[in-house]
Amino acid sequence: MKKLFLFYILIGGVLLQGCKEFLDLPPKNQRAVTTLSDLKSVLAGYLDAFAKSNTQPIVGPYPIVTEDQNMMFEAYSDNFDFKANMGQYVNPQNNNKNEKFYANNLLFNNIETVDAIWNKYYETIGFLNALIDQSDELVIADPNELLRVKGEMLVHRAYYVFKLQQYFAPMDDESMGIPLYLHSGKEVIGVEMKRKKSSEVYTVIIEDLKKSLEYFHSVGAKEGYSRFFNERFIQNLLAQVYWFKAETASKAPDDYQSAIQYAKGAIAGVDERIPSTLAAFQSVQQNLDTQYPAIYMQGRNYGGIAGFFGSPWDYMGFAPANLIVASDLLALFDNNDFRKEAYFVNNTLSSAWPDGAAYGAKYVRVHLFTPEEAYLILAEAYFRNNEEGEALNTLNKFKGFRGATVKNNLTGENLLNEIINERRKEFFTDTDKRWIDLKRYKIGNISRNLRFFDKNFDVKVSANDYHYALPIPLAELQENPDIVPNEGWNPIIF
């Protein structure tokens, strides 16, 4: 049996740049994986980060959506009145972030964070490729346990591939999917790392997830070890993939029917766990409800998202504080909706959000595979599948969880807009979700006329323009002659 030497662990991906290096290198260096026990031990060094809030994974980002990533996608969206908040951002009392931080984010110029997403996500895919390859070569291994471990890795790989596709591939150009290679490079050297067709990328994602779901139905999860290898979570991610794909150039006629199938599986039996009071809602945000059916991760940096969510010391006069939110967002909430009290104080962001305390520590809080997301995917998928009655019933049932006023007699575009608005309310400041919605629904025109370093900058973002396919990192373009860049991006030098 061949030995697989994991080059990631000792000299690792942190020294490498570009997807070509992460996906097309022969294994080398010191650490050999020859048994299932070896494989589980190495994988545990990655998985522990999904169970413990103080463990840095051996590969990949922590949390899976980092503080910088969360703030960048919020800055690239439309939930805040950024111009009105400039006096709080560029302020001598702001000891959280400097002027360049705001300039790069608010002017769609955050190259460093975009590069980190590309490199860290591809690094993790390469790591998983190596382990999956080796799992196929393990002859002496408990077959059930091997399926559990392989199923776990397939879901994680599918997640990273899906997010890269969402971030870097245009919606309407089938030829401009992300580069992808699914092996460790030990058999074939010199693979051309071209952009794949988007439909090919989605095929990989869906096949990995369906295979993992098949494994789950065969052997089930292992308590205490499995993280993403969970029937509900796999179906949730499948629903997300079909939902997103259905509005791209890679769409297929049955995408929304598949989204309905998997969204229903993801929410089966969870209604009693979905918060229906303000206290329960905040309890979930703080990860105090141990039965809440989602993966939770929290950043380790006190004040890590203070730059856009308010200083932990705002009550002492430190900036930013009293951050003004977009008026059109506020107008979406009725007075019965307890999310309004959770998020806001009048027209400003509450100091308690997202921590649920009077003066929040401003940790980034990430929930993956939530039932709320599956519910709203289900409502839209019913609508797109010409089942408007089911769509409205599902939407109103969801509104009932949040104390929001139900809607009657909604049809056509009015119903779709209500679903989109419900997503905006539910996923306020949640990871990348509003930016993804702006991209997918091709909505919104963002105009930024801001002043930094004594100079005026004017940036306009139109619906479905180049801003919704993030720039391929310069290092990738320099090292990978086969890749085609996302056009339109011209970095600003301050």
Side-chain angles (χ1 to χ4, degrees):
M1 179 172 56
K2 298 178 182 178
K3 293 184 179 180
L4 177 62
F5 295 97
L6 292 179
F7 60 93
Y8 303 95
I9 295 174
L10 291 182
I11 62 171
V14 294
L15 300 181
L16 302 174
Q17 297 293 323
C19 76
K20 188 171 179 64
E21 279 73 10
F22 295 129
L23 302 186
D24 179 29
L25 275 183
K28 56 189 176 183
N29 217 306
Q30 303 293 317
R31 180 64 184 271
V33 173
T34 59
T35 68
L36 178 57
S37 179
D38 290 338
L39 191 153
K40 289 180 65 177
S41 176
V42 172
L43 185 62
Y46 161 77
L47 292 179
D48 276 353
F50 295 91
K52 305 170 185 176
S53 61
N54 61 349
T55 302
Q56 181 71 35
I58 61 173
V59 67
Y62 185 87
I64 200 167
V65 179
T66 66
E67 289 91 344
D68 287 338
Q69 189 174 342
N70 177 266
M71 288 188 288
M72 182 190 77
F73 282 119
E74 198 60 56
Y76 287 12
S77 301
D78 60 353
N79 284 329
F80 286 87
D81 187 338
F82 291 116
K83 189 174 183 67
N85 292 324
M86 282 296 294
Q88 286 293 318
Y89 296 149
V90 184
N91 186 318
Q93 289 297 102
N94 184 353
N95 59 0
N96 298 282
K97 296 294 181 182
N98 58 29
E99 187 171 0
K100 188 173 182 180
F101 166 84
Y102 293 105
N104 279 329
N105 277 290
L106 296 179
L107 299 177
F108 298 83
N109 194 53
N110 192 340
I111 304 302
E112 183 177 350
T113 297
V114 172
D115 288 359
I117 293 170
W118 179 274
N119 290 325
K120 283 292 186 181
Y121 281 25
Y122 271 115
E123 176 189 31
T124 312
I125 292 169
F127 166 79
L128 292 166
N129 283 347
L131 290 183
I132 291 169
D133 271 359
Q134 185 61 13
S135 72
D136 290 335
E137 296 184 2
L138 297 178
V139 178
I140 303 175
D142 179 278
N144 291 344
E145 190 69 358
L146 184 59
L147 289 184
R148 292 187 186 101
V149 174
K150 188 172 180 180
E152 180 78 41
M153 294 187 292
L154 290 172
V155 186
H156 285 263
R157 183 170 73 179
Y159 173 85
Y160 288 105
V161 174
F162 179 46
K163 299 313 289 185
L164 286 168
Q165 177 71 11
Q166 283 187 311
Y167 295 161
F168 292 95
M171 291 291 291
D172 298 332
D173 191 338
E174 165 69 1
S175 68
M176 293 284 278
I178 62 169
L180 191 60
Y181 180 64
L182 296 184
H183 298 287
S184 61
K186 61 193 171 93
E187 301 295 344
V188 180
I189 307 303
V191 174
E192 292 182 348
M193 210 61 66
K194 297 178 179 179
R195 298 185 78 141
K196 287 189 174 293
K197 291 181 179 180
S198 286
S199 56
E200 294 175 347
V201 177
Y202 286 114
T203 295
V204 167
I205 297 167
I206 291 168
E207 286 182 351
D208 273 2
L209 291 173
K210 285 186 174 180
K211 188 179 295 184
S212 182
L213 190 61
E214 178 186 328
Y215 292 165
F216 185 91
H217 290 156
S218 175
V219 299
K222 173 129 182 172
E223 186 175 353
Y225 188 88
S226 298
R227 298 291 176 247
F228 286 15
F229 188 58
N230 173 296
E231 182 178 29
R232 190 182 306 284
F233 299 163
I234 298 168
Q235 293 191 94
N236 192 303
L237 188 50
L238 273 165
Q240 291 180 48
V241 173
Y242 279 112
W243 166 83
F244 188 83
K245 173 177 175 284
E247 293 302 309
T248 71
S250 307
K251 62 187 175 186
D254 60 349
D255 281 342
Y256 280 118
Q257 186 59 52
S258 295
I260 290 171
Q261 173 190 342
Y262 291 111
K264 289 172 72 173
I267 62 174
V270 301
D271 285 4
E272 66 178 19
R273 296 260 55 94
I274 297 178
S276 57
T277 66
L278 175 61
F281 185 67
Q282 291 177 324
S283 179
V284 163
Q285 297 304 319
Q286 298 175 78
N287 198 38
L288 300 178
D289 182 353
T290 59
Q291 299 303 308
Y292 181 65
I295 293 285
Y296 177 84
M297 296 183 80
Q298 176 180 299
R300 293 191 297 270
N301 298 323
Y302 183 89
I305 55 173
F308 281 125
F309 295 80
S311 171
W313 304 283
D314 59 356
Y315 62 98
M316 298 172 60
F318 286 92
N322 303 315
L323 295 170
I324 298 171
V325 297
S327 58
D328 65 318
L329 170 63
L330 282 172
L332 299 178
F333 292 85
D334 59 68
N335 290 329
N336 297 322
D337 190 328
F338 61 71
R339 291 171 297 189
K340 185 176 182 180
E341 183 179 350
Y343 300 155
F344 312 121
V345 175
N346 298 319
N347 69 334
T348 65
L349 182 66
S350 170
S351 292
W353 184 255
D355 300 280
Y359 303 111
K362 299 299 184 291
Y363 292 107
V364 68
R365 300 177 185 273
V366 177
H367 284 99
L368 301 175
F369 319 128
T370 66
E372 289 88 344
E373 185 160 16
Y375 251 105
L376 293 177
I377 287 173
L378 180 61
E380 183 182 339
Y382 276 137
F383 170 82
R384 304 278 192 177
N385 212 40
N386 298 314
E387 300 176 70
E388 291 194 356
E390 291 291 346
L392 184 57
N393 289 339
T394 303
L395 175 64
N396 280 333
K397 183 177 181 181
F398 184 82
K399 284 178 176 289
F401 293 133
R402 300 306 194 229
T405 302
V406 301
K407 301 288 184 177
N408 297 309
N409 303 317
L410 285 179
T411 59
E413 288 300 306
N414 291 331
L415 176 54
L416 177 60
N417 287 336
E418 190 65 28
I419 293 170
I420 295 171
N421 289 339
E422 194 64 31
R423 289 182 59 87
R424 189 178 184 188
K425 290 186 290 182
E426 178 63 25
F427 303 132
F428 173 66
T429 71
D430 184 343
T431 59
D432 54 11
K433 289 188 176 61
R434 180 57 180 172
W435 184 84
I436 291 292
D437 281 3
L438 292 174
K439 174 175 182 167
R440 180 179 175 274
Y441 294 113
K442 302 175 184 176
I443 56 176
N445 290 292
I446 297 173
S447 181
R448 302 265 169 85
N449 185 262
L450 302 172
R451 189 171 181 82
F452 293 104
F453 306 109
D454 297 320
K455 183 178 178 181
N456 292 326
F457 293 88
D458 192 7
V459 176
K460 297 186 184 302
V461 179
S462 302
N464 201 37
D465 76 5
Y466 72 87
H467 290 90
Y468 293 104
L470 296 179
I472 305 298
L474 178 60
E476 184 71 46
L477 298 176
Q478 292 173 333
E479 298 173 16
N480 182 358
D482 298 310
I483 196 166
V484 178
N486 288 331
E487 299 294 342
W489 293 96
N490 294 302
I492 301 171
I493 307 299
F494 299 108

